[in-house]
Amino acid sequence: MTARVDCIVVGAGVVGLAVARQLAIFGREILLLEAAGDIGTETSSRNSEVIHAGIYYPAGSQKAALCCPGKNLLYNYCADRGIDHKRCGKLIVATEETQIPGLQEILHTGRANGVSDLAWLSEADVATKEPALKASAAIWSPSTGIVDSHQLMLALLADIEAHGGTISFHTRVTDILTTEGELVLTVDNNNAPYRVAASSVVNCAGLGAIPLARSISGLPSSSIPSVEFAKGSYFSYMGQTPFDCLVYPVPTPGGLGIHLTLDQAGQARFGPDVEWVEEINYDVNASAKSKFAQAVASYWPAVQTERLSPAYSGIRVKTKPRGSNYHDFIFSGPKDHGIKGLLNMFGFESPGLTSCLAIGQQALKELCG
């Protein structure tokens, strides 16, 4: 016997939770399936917990379109729900003169994306604001902040349940059969397989989104993008730093550079670096300490290497839309692949946390029109 439900969302990371929440508020009957034993165990809990301003993303990209409105929605949501967050601001620093043109380009891109509060700081301005920093110039972003991602995800889950949605943990989707008028999922719950049918399915499986898409019968392979995994490790810092804001270098290929972030208690951590990997593992290489120290010393010369210690790592999914070299969010709905009721969501790395509420709104449009 096959159980039936209106709408299934696969994946209970912050994006899946936000999508399920938005659909539940809209009035859909929601079943949220999560392979792990808790919410947000992968990318959503293995990041910098930064609320991004929307500075870096090319005009016309999904990231550019969703980050700024998502940031505003997130700040309001956190204030309304009492979620720990702080609008601490961020400095993006050029550590040498040759980086200034690149920094100017970032400023132009950010302003074009609607980030209207960015300020250009000279070397003297930086020395006044953060005397411990070494910088030839910097961009000040006052609307960048930090958030307690676990509190955020718990609040999203509470909203889903308040609107009648349910979540099933330890439940892995092994394949999806497309039939006339519904999608039939084979799922494995604690080694007990069964089938469940739905009129709509949203694939928000994060690291598993592309493997899941490959298991969907009738889905054109041309609608599944190529994927790369960028592993990023973080090191914690013992003791206090002199900074009250986040500090970022000029971005590097695949990431935003080894930057200084703060938690809600003001404790610093550094990362992520970028390591292109074929398989998912979360080991942190302790021998990378010297590399981290050297990167941090380029903008904070007083960093003490012995105070750095391995903390955690995360994996970012990098997907490329066909015809593009830019890693963007991808909403792949019925108009793209021809399967009614199916929405695949690929490449939801940073700024997915910042943009999650706006992503939920966009997913509703993609699925329901």
Side-chain angles (χ1 to χ4, degrees):
M1 181 176 178
T2 301
R4 281 175 171 78
V5 68
D6 176 27
C7 183
I8 292 174
V9 177
V10 183
V14 69
V15 169
L17 289 162
V19 169
R21 171 186 178 271
Q22 191 66 50
L23 291 167
I25 291 172
F26 184 69
R28 302 294 298 267
E29 176 196 14
I30 297 297
L31 173 61
L32 181 58
L33 303 181
E34 171 53 49
D38 202 352
I39 56 176
T41 60
E42 290 186 330
T43 308
S44 299
S45 60
R46 294 176 171 274
N47 57 66
S48 301
E49 296 189 306
V50 171
I51 301 175
H52 290 284
I55 299 169
Y56 303 97
Y57 318 112
S61 67
Q62 290 284 359
K63 291 182 179 181
L66 295 171
C67 190
C68 278
K71 169 188 65 180
N72 296 329
L73 288 168
L74 184 56
Y75 274 127
N76 290 336
Y77 184 74
C78 289
D80 290 344
R81 300 300 298 271
I83 298 165
D84 287 342
H85 68 289
K86 184 178 181 182
R87 199 184 295 247
C88 55
K90 172 174 78 174
L91 286 168
I92 308 171
V93 299
T95 58
E96 52 190 52
E97 294 284 339
T98 57
Q99 294 180 340
I100 289 179
L103 194 65
Q104 291 171 331
E105 186 176 341
I106 292 169
L107 179 66
H108 174 77
T109 300
R111 287 175 173 169
N113 287 346
V115 189
S116 59
D117 58 358
L118 299 176
W120 182 266
L121 303 185
S122 67
E123 183 174 0
D125 294 331
V126 176
T128 299
K129 185 172 183 59
E130 292 287 356
L133 278 181
K134 172 195 170 188
S136 299
I139 298 169
W140 170 240
S141 171
S143 63
T144 299
I146 53 176
V147 62
D148 186 315
S149 60
H150 191 63
Q151 287 185 20
L152 170 62
M153 290 187 284
L154 287 173
L156 295 172
L157 179 58
D159 288 348
I160 294 166
E161 294 176 335
H163 287 85
T166 58
I167 185 168
S168 178
F169 293 111
H170 301 292
T171 305
R172 183 178 300 278
V173 180
T174 57
D175 65 71
I176 300 177
L177 176 66
T178 60
T179 65
E180 188 66 32
E182 65 181 9
L183 299 129
V184 180
L185 289 72
T186 303
V187 300
D188 189 323
N189 178 253
N190 286 317
N191 296 317
Y194 65 92
R195 287 191 168 189
V196 57
S199 57
S200 299
V201 172
V202 184
N203 173 9
C204 288
L207 297 176
I210 286 178
L212 178 58
R214 290 173 179 152
S215 79
I216 300 173
S217 69
L219 183 69
S221 60
S222 59
S223 71
I224 304 174
S226 59
V227 62
E228 297 172 291
F229 291 146
K231 180 178 179 179
S233 296
Y234 293 81
F235 276 66
S236 59
Y237 195 75
M238 184 176 61
Q240 293 299 306
T241 66
F243 306 108
D244 294 322
C245 67
L246 313 183
V247 182
Y248 280 55
V250 172
T252 58
L256 298 180
I258 294 176
H259 48 262
L260 180 153
T261 61
L262 303 169
D263 63 19
Q264 298 296 322
Q267 195 66 38
R269 58 179 175 256
F270 295 97
D273 60 352
V274 176
E275 178 188 358
W276 298 101
V277 297
E278 298 292 331
E279 298 179 350
I280 296 169
N281 78 77
Y282 296 113
D283 297 335
V284 178
N285 185 358
S287 68
K289 179 190 290 192
S290 59
K291 178 185 74 172
F292 271 70
Q294 184 177 5
V296 174
S298 68
Y299 56 83
W300 182 32
V303 62
Q304 297 179 38
T305 304
E306 65 273 15
R307 293 192 175 189
L308 290 167
S309 60
Y312 61 93
S313 70
I315 305 287
R316 301 187 293 283
V317 177
K318 303 286 187 177
T319 54
K320 295 181 180 179
R322 294 186 182 276
S324 171
N325 288 321
Y326 176 67
H327 299 96
D328 201 6
F329 298 153
I330 300 175
F331 297 88
S332 182
K335 67 180 183 297
D336 303 300
H337 51 61
I339 299 176
K340 183 179 178 182
L342 174 66
L343 176 61
N344 285 312
M345 296 178 59
F346 303 123
F348 283 81
E349 49 143 1
S350 179
L353 179 66
T354 302
S355 310
C356 65
L357 297 174
I359 290 168
Q361 293 177 347
Q362 184 62 32
L364 175 62
K365 293 177 184 177
E366 296 282 342
L367 191 65
C368 303

